[in-house]
Amino acid sequence: EYRATVADCYGHTEIMRGTIDGDLMIFESMRETPPTLRMTWNASSPEYITWRNEMTFDGVDWQLIEEYRMVPLS
């Protein structure tokens, strides 16, 4: 299990718990009140890594906030 801290430009901070499962590195917020945030890095493609930011209010239905492909600089 891994730990991460997040601080964004709006003053929001978060402590997250993470795991690695194959090509996926997944972190979820550890707060006791909704919403729960999930950040996923998917390295299954040899050409890029996909990063997803999602949230849920009920722990079941995840809503996509943003998703990016990260490619190496040439």
Side-chain angles (χ1 to χ4, degrees):
E1 185 173 277
Y2 298 88
R3 295 278 196 255
T5 56
V6 176
D8 68 24
C9 60
Y10 299 109
H12 170 242
T13 60
E14 191 81 45
I15 299 174
M16 305 184 92
R17 172 184 296 123
T19 59
I20 295 176
D21 182 13
D23 292 329
L24 299 176
M25 182 170 66
I26 304 166
F27 281 88
E28 289 188 16
S29 57
M30 297 172 56
R31 68 171 70 189
E32 295 180 13
T33 59
T36 300
L37 300 177
R38 177 170 66 188
M39 296 183 188
T40 305
W41 289 260
N42 183 337
S44 61
S45 170
E47 298 161 4
Y48 56 86
I49 295 173
T50 302
W51 177 76
R52 291 177 62 94
N53 183 7
E54 301 166 285
M55 73 174 177
T56 183
F57 286 93
D58 62 8
V60 177
D61 298 313
W62 289 92
Q63 299 172 346
L64 180 64
I65 298 171
E66 56 191 333
E67 180 177 57
Y68 300 103
R69 282 186 179 176
M70 299 182 291
V71 297
L73 296 176
S74 299

